[in-house]
Amino acid sequence: MSSNSIKIFAGNSHIELARLVAKRIGNELSRVTVLKYSNKETSVNIGESVRDEDVFVIQSGCGEINDNIMELLIMINACKTASARRVTAVIPCFPYARQDKKDKSRAPISAKLIANMITVAGADHVITIDLHASQIQGFFNVPVDNLYCEPAMLSYIKIHIPDWKNSIIVSPDAGGAKRATSIADRLNLDFALIHKERKKANEVSRMVLVGDVIGKIAILVDDMADTCGTLKMAAETLIDNGAIKVYAIVAHGILSGGAIDVINDSYLEKLVVTNTVPHDDKKHICSKLDTIDISSTLAE
């Protein structure tokens, strides 16, 4: 007999976050074994009955990203074929989210491909956090809940940034203007924008500041910190234009490549990221890194 209870399964990408979410709900993580064969194929074994249950599979798009996507798809499919009543894919950091449009000829829209794969695997519902582009919700034929880190960011600013009322919210590019203005309005602060010119992907050639930051604490707000080159250049631009201190608050701290060295070498006081992506190992080598726990938002 089914108890119609919630079953939470965790993939290998971010087990710690899954544990925090389960703890907040008052549940244990359900048993699942995920391993790789010697030929690198992924094998999944669901360790308990999911018949007619409400199943949540938590897997973030980070680390060995392609392996983790495959793991997620197989877990969804395993639960679906084991007669789960409903399978929800919980993807705190959505993979391939930056490939969301055809920005040049013959370019793929990889985020749409990922959406198709998740749907075909058998997901009935998707929960994610701060999508890079909100149109990704339209790539799915199933409901998508795009949760926001904004409330957590607001409380962090109020509690942890001294003299935050003398701050200005800054977007490091035009794409993030909407997010930054929303936070600025909620805090009743001014807003500035940095216009960046790129010569090629992941490389910014120069930055132009629009707005007045003289004598203020600048708070950079963005959805993703990957190589952190943009944040470093933005911090330099703000200090050069008269800002006293620069903080950065970012939803997804991917921190790939030499990102930690870039942060350590920058004018940033703190880089604050949520735990949608695991980065505890990086905190040991970067004192500027701080974390906002968003497990409560996911648990809700």
Side-chain angles (χ1 to χ4, degrees):
M1 281 290 288
S2 152
S3 59
N4 289 142
S5 60
I6 287 175
K7 292 272 170 87
I8 301 170
F9 292 96
N12 284 326
S13 70
H14 199 348
I15 290 174
E16 194 47 49
L17 177 62
R19 283 201 187 104
L20 287 168
V21 171
K23 190 177 171 189
R24 294 226 174 222
I25 296 172
N27 262 19
E28 291 285 316
L29 283 178
S30 299
R31 291 194 305 278
V32 60
T33 310
V34 184
L35 47 90
K36 272 199 184 70
Y37 293 137
S38 58
N39 67 350
K40 302 294 183 207
E41 280 183 9
T42 299
S43 162
V44 169
N45 181 27
I46 304 293
E48 53 194 81
S49 170
V50 293
R51 182 177 295 277
D52 207 31
E53 304 279 18
D54 221 347
V55 172
F56 292 81
V57 180
I58 301 178
Q59 180 82 312
S60 202
C62 57
E64 296 287 336
I65 196 158
N66 297 326
D67 286 348
N68 289 336
I69 291 167
M70 214 49 223
E71 211 172 273
L72 170 69
L73 298 173
I74 296 171
M75 284 172 80
I76 292 169
N77 197 249
C79 293
K80 201 69 185 170
T81 51
S83 304
R85 180 160 49 116
R86 202 167 82 122
V87 181
T88 301
V90 183
I91 312 169
C93 181
F94 194 85
Y96 288 88
R98 283 176 286 185
Q99 298 182 38
D100 61 310
K101 58 185 175 291
K102 204 171 169 74
D103 53 358
K104 50 187 178 285
S105 55
R106 297 175 299 283
I109 306 174
S110 306
K112 167 72 172 160
L113 174 63
I114 297 291
N116 288 345
M117 286 159 68
I118 290 167
T119 311
V120 169
D124 300 293
H125 182 198
V126 174
I127 297 173
T128 185
I129 292 182
D130 262 314
L131 275 174
H132 181 68
S134 49
Q135 72 258 25
I136 292 172
Q137 291 173 83
F139 295 168
F140 286 89
N141 297 325
V142 296
V144 178
D145 285 334
N146 181 25
L147 310 177
Y148 293 101
C149 301
E150 194 176 296
M153 288 177 172
L154 292 170
S155 64
Y156 183 93
I157 291 169
K158 288 176 181 172
I159 295 166
H160 296 283
I161 296 183
D163 197 22
W164 64 267
K165 289 183 179 174
N166 181 38
S167 299
I168 184 163
I169 305 295
V170 185
S171 173
D173 55 22
K178 196 175 171 189
R179 178 184 295 101
T181 48
S182 168
I183 288 176
D185 290 345
R186 297 275 294 275
L187 292 169
N188 203 17
L189 296 172
D190 288 337
F191 160 73
L193 173 74
I194 290 174
H195 170 64
K196 61 184 179 187
E197 294 170 0
R198 289 183 190 273
K199 279 182 178 162
K200 56 184 179 186
N202 272 17
E203 200 175 297
V204 179
S205 54
R206 76 185 195 106
M207 291 190 158
V208 182
L209 177 70
V210 182
D212 180 19
V213 297
I214 294 169
K216 295 198 170 177
I217 297 165
I219 303 172
L220 284 160
V221 177
D222 208 353
D223 71 321
M224 204 175 274
D226 189 355
T227 54
C228 295
T230 299
L231 289 178
K232 182 185 178 182
M233 274 185 82
E236 280 171 21
T237 306
L238 290 164
I239 294 288
D240 290 346
N241 281 276
I244 322 168
K245 285 181 183 173
V246 182
Y247 290 84
I249 300 186
V250 178
H252 306 295
I254 295 167
L255 310 176
S256 64
I260 297 298
D261 294 334
V262 173
I263 297 160
N264 284 331
D265 191 37
S266 71
Y267 286 115
L268 290 172
E269 291 286 316
K270 283 258 184 248
L271 170 60
V272 185
V273 295
T274 70
N275 57 346
T276 55
V277 174
H279 52 256
D280 286 348
D281 53 332
K282 292 174 178 133
K283 287 179 90 166
H284 297 308
I285 49 175
C286 183
S287 58
K288 294 183 178 183
L289 207 54
D290 213 347
T291 312
I292 298 173
D293 180 18
I294 46 89
S295 60
S296 56
T297 308
L298 280 171
E300 241 171 80

